[in-house]
Amino acid sequence: MAPAGGGEVLFTCPVRRSMKPVHLTEPGKIKRIRGTAFSVRVSPQMANRIVDSARSILNKFIPDIYIYTDHMKGASSGRSPGFGLTLVAETVNGTFLGAEVVSTPQGQGDPVLPEDLGRNCAKLLLEEVYRVSRTKHTHIWRNCFHIVQVEFLRHIRDFFQIMFKIEQQKPGEDERKGGEKVLMTCVGAGYSNISKTIK
């Protein structure tokens, strides 16, 4: 947790020869919500309070919800106290929508109650479902945040010679489809992992 940090993330990934194209035009309906409420160097009850407040919002939306609690203390918890919540909604078509909120770093700004944090994160996830009902995969959500920036698209063009075709989506007949949409289409760079041997 900020500001002193001290944590460690170990990321592992199998070697892939190539990547399949990603189509994010029809995510489908939400079938389940999963999440993790975490707390470090604070009372273990903080995570339970976060879960209860988040479920009070999400239970009105869908019944299949499971939020894990993860509490760490001592040397394995880093050097700063804090807590947070990560939520992921999965659709029937395999699309993932996410939201994450963490507490205010120690000594910076007003403290946050775990109940408020849980409710805010749940509302952010529902906002994501509403606004982005036709986008996002768990590995692309950060990129989707940046594509609204013209400068980011210019960097993609300069570095990878990839250009996006951007079209304003026409409003559908069903008004419950969410906010306004933009359809972005591109052809990938054709990258392949040349370090993997071919059998």
Side-chain angles (χ1 to χ4, degrees), residues 107-155:
Q108 301 177 15
D110 297 329
V112 178
L113 290 174
E115 288 81 7
D116 293 339
L117 186 142
R119 284 191 291 269
N120 290 341
C121 191
K123 289 176 182 178
L124 279 176
L125 182 67
L126 295 179
E127 174 84 11
E128 198 66 24
V129 171
Y130 170 75
R131 279 190 307 114
V132 200
S133 61
R134 293 181 183 227
T135 63
K136 289 201 177 177
H137 190 276
T138 184
H139 299 281
I140 302 177
W141 74 271
R142 292 187 192 275
N143 292 340
C144 289
F145 172 78
H146 291 292
I147 59 178
V148 298
Q149 302 175 16
V150 174
E151 199 62 33
F152 182 71
L153 292 175
R154 289 177 180 158
H155 288 322

Side-chain angles (χ1 to χ4, degrees), residues 12 54 91 138 157 185:
T12 59
T91 71
T138 184
R157 181 194 62 197
T185 311

Side-chain angles (χ1 to χ4, degrees), residues 26-91:
E26 290 296 332
K29 294 183 178 180
I30 304 297
K31 67 177 180 179
R32 63 177 161 231
I33 295 174
R34 298 292 181 263
T36 301
F38 57 90
S39 58
V40 294
R41 293 190 175 271
V42 294
S43 169
Q45 283 302 313
M46 293 292 195
N48 295 330
R49 291 165 62 184
I50 292 171
V51 171
D52 291 341
S53 60
R55 288 185 67 93
S56 70
I57 301 289
L58 297 174
N59 279 338
K60 301 171 186 175
F61 177 65
I62 190 171
D64 190 358
I65 301 169
Y66 194 88
I67 303 174
Y68 302 87
T69 57
D70 185 8
H71 175 72
M72 298 296 286
K73 59 183 178 179
S76 61
S77 64
R79 294 187 289 267
S80 292
F83 49 88
L85 175 63
T86 301
L87 293 173
V88 176
E90 182 181 354
T91 71

